[in-house]
Each structure stands twice: as structure tokens, then as C-alpha cells.
Amino acid sequence: MRTSTALTVLTALCTAILLASPAPAVAAAEPPDIPVAAVQAHLAQFQRIADTNGGNRAHGRPGYRASVDYVKSRLEAAGYRPVVQPFTYNGATGWNVIADWPGGDADNVLLVGGHLDSVTTAPGANDNGSGSAAVLEIALTVAKQNLTPRRHLRFAWWGAEELWLIGSDYYTRNLPSAERAKIKSYLNVDMIGSPNPAYFVLDGARYPAGSVALQRVLQEHFAKIGVPTENIDMGGRGDHASFTRYGIAVGGPFTGAEGRKTAAQARKWGGTAGEAFDRCYHRACDTTQNIHVTALDRNADAVAHAVWTLAGQAFALAS
Ligand SMILES: [Zn+2]
């Protein structure tokens, strides 16, 4: 009887508390499903830029500057104040685009980026219009939802990656060390729409402490949608290397480049065994026709899942 009365009172109290509670914090919101059509719309703009600028978006060429202007204008329209950071390489000016989402713990930055340049021989739809477009749409979704993350969110589009990580190297090298120390994790999004796709994620065990947590949060999404992944050691091949140099945890998805799909991989992912993941890697045929839309969709969603999950959590050096 006593217990029962106490329970009744407790239940009533809990109900009252629940009813009185404000809406759940936005940071705890479910990760959004990023509409692939929106990502493709940005990709189509990158393709148009290449088509009207000599077939590429390479460092030192007009197509690169046009790519910077496109990303900058879309961010500004969403309320960001992007910074265009110039650097000089090979006698030409290049730029990184950096956009901070206001709020969150400034001492605990989650940075999400990808390179915006192509090689001179390709329009760079998959490499890396795909990553650039996904990061852009994710940044725009953060703004649309007016997200209030616990961690500070920063987005970046790097210049001159194809000339060996020049833009991201310039960025990290020129950050005051106190600012660099605030970046607790970096997600690199480079090539996520390969036409004969793999579903790789950076192998956290090969990278600085904290990287395994990034690997796992990406895998969580793929597990949820029933897509098996493989861990991959990319070594220093990609902008993540500009961050691992300073001990920053890194992660990222990757659908493959010139490597060939094995028979075992074709069995689990579909596609063609014995063929390159991206037969148009660094070639003129890396157009919007070279994009595997399902792979692009799944990977954009995986990155969004990682951003929403990681941004809502206090940083823990769990690896
Ligand atoms: Zn790339």
C-alpha cells in the first residue's frame, strides 16, 4: 500500500516534470536524411563551372575561383560568414573556404572538410565535387535546422589538394597552436560517389587517438542501413594528413579511386569485380555521369549522422 502510494505520487511527479520540461535540446535531434537531389544540385553547379572554364576546377585556373565563389555565396545566403583564406602556390593564388557555425564549445571544435579543387585533366565530379557538395549541403542543413550543438562546428573546403594537400597544410600550419589545439576531430570527405563503389572508412587504429570513435560513428550509420564497410589505411593520401601531423583525430568515408574491386567486394557491395572503383579517376570523364547516386546518398547521410552525433556529445578521447 505504502509502496503503491509512493509510486503513484512518484508517477504523478514524473508526469508533471515531463510536462513541464522544455522541448528536447536541438543538439539531440535525429541526424537528418540529406536529400541526395540537393547534393546533386551542387554537383551540377560544379560541373557547369568546369564546362564553362576549360573543363576543370584546378588550382590556378578560373574554374577553381568560380568554385570558391559558388560555395561562398551559398553559405552566405544561409547566414554563414565564410572566410576565404588566400595562399600562394606554384606562382598562383589559391583559396580555402572556412565557415564557422556560431555557438558550441569553442575549445572543442569538430571540423568537417573536403578539397574543392580538381586536377587540370578533369572536371572533378567525384574527385572531389562529391565531397564538396555533401559538406556544403550538410552545412546548409545545420543552418536550416538552426542547430545548437554542444561542440563548435566548422566547415572547410580546401584548395590545391591535388598538388599535395597545399591548402589544408597552409591552414593547419598557420593556425596559432592554441587554435589548432581546439580542433579535436577532423572528418575528411573526399570521393564519395565512385561509380563502382566501395564503402571504406578511415581505419581509426592507424591514426591519432580519438580516430576510432570517428570510424565507429560512421560505421554506425552504415550498419543501420545494412551496408557492410571495410576499414582503410589511406596513409597520408588526403587532407586528413594535414591534421594527423598535429595529433588531431581524423575519420572519413571513401568509395575508392583507381584501386580495383575484388570478387569478394563485388559480392557484398555489388558492382563489377576486377574493375576500378572509379575508372574516371583524374580523367576527363569524371563528370556528373561518373557519380553513383546511391553511394553519394548513403555517404552524405553517414557524414550527417557523424556530425549530428559527434556535435551533440562532449569530447571524449575514447578510442
Ligand atoms: Zn580527392
Side-chain angles (χ1 to χ4, degrees), residues 47 96 100 157 194 261 290:
Q47 182 68 51
N96 297 321
D100 283 80
W157 293 261
S194 306
K261 189 176 272 185
N290 188 45

Side-chain angles (χ1 to χ4, degrees), residues 10-318:
L10 198 63
T11 307
L13 262 175
C14 289
T15 308
I17 289 165
L18 276 173
L19 288 173
S21 301
V26 181
E30 278 293 294
D33 185 342
I34 301 295
V36 73
V39 180
Q40 287 178 288
H42 301 311
L43 257 179
Q45 291 299 317
F46 292 136
Q47 182 68 51
R48 187 193 55 79
I49 287 169
D51 290 344
T52 52
N53 286 282
N56 68 69
R57 301 181 299 104
H59 173 72
R61 307 293 179 92
Y64 185 69
R65 179 67 217 198
S67 301
V68 166
D69 290 342
Y70 174 71
V71 171
K72 180 173 177 279
S73 71
R74 294 307 309 261
L75 289 167
E76 284 172 344
Y80 284 90
R81 291 181 172 178
V83 172
V84 174
Q85 177 186 44
F87 60 87
T88 304
Y89 186 72
N90 270 359
T93 302
W95 300 272
N96 297 321
V97 182
I98 316 286
D100 283 80
W101 179 244
D105 180 358
D107 292 331
N108 188 346
V109 176
L110 168 61
L111 177 52
V112 186
H115 72 87
L116 186 55
D117 63 317
S118 72
V119 292
T120 55
T121 50
N126 189 33
D127 186 13
N128 182 34
S130 62
S132 297
V135 174
L136 178 57
E137 189 55 31
I138 287 168
L140 299 181
T141 305
V142 164
K144 207 177 295 171
Q145 293 199 355
N146 203 14
L147 196 72
T148 54
R150 287 170 65 181
R151 295 174 68 175
H152 182 76
L153 284 176
R154 181 174 300 153
F155 300 95
W157 293 261
W158 311 118
E161 186 269 359
E162 298 290 4
L163 302 173
W164 206 243
L165 322 178
I166 304 304
S168 59
D169 177 71
Y170 183 87
Y171 173 77
T172 53
R173 210 176 276 279
N174 287 284
L175 269 183
S177 58
E179 287 305 310
R180 211 160 44 215
K182 294 175 182 176
I183 303 173
K184 304 303 185 192
S185 16
Y186 173 63
L187 280 176
N188 192 50
V189 191
D190 188 356
M191 299 184 73
I192 57 167
S194 306
N196 187 26
Y199 292 90
F200 295 124
V201 292
L202 281 197
D203 183 351
R206 306 277 180 170
Y207 295 105
S211 300
V212 170
L214 303 183
Q215 171 205 312
R216 289 197 179 133
V217 75
L218 288 165
Q219 285 171 326
E220 244 172 47
H221 176 78
F222 288 108
K224 198 169 66 186
I225 61 172
V227 175
T229 60
E230 283 182 20
N231 291 346
I232 188 167
D233 181 359
M234 302 276 292
R237 190 180 163 188
D239 289 305
H240 58 276
S242 299
F243 293 85
T244 57
R245 178 188 297 131
Y246 297 104
I248 296 168
V250 296
F254 175 53
T255 53
E258 77 281 24
R260 287 176 191 280
K261 189 176 272 185
T262 65
Q265 289 171 331
R267 276 195 295 277
K268 65 179 166 185
W269 292 325
T272 312
E275 273 193 14
F277 299 113
D278 182 357
R279 62 178 191 85
C280 290
Y281 176 62
H282 286 184
R283 296 173 56 203
C285 57
D286 184 13
T287 66
T288 49
Q289 298 300 309
N290 188 45
I291 294 291
H292 192 288
V293 176
T294 301
L296 181 69
D297 189 16
R298 289 168 169 173
N299 281 281
D301 288 343
V303 175
H305 170 83
V307 170
W308 261 251
T309 306
L310 295 167
Q313 293 172 349
F315 177 69
L317 205 72

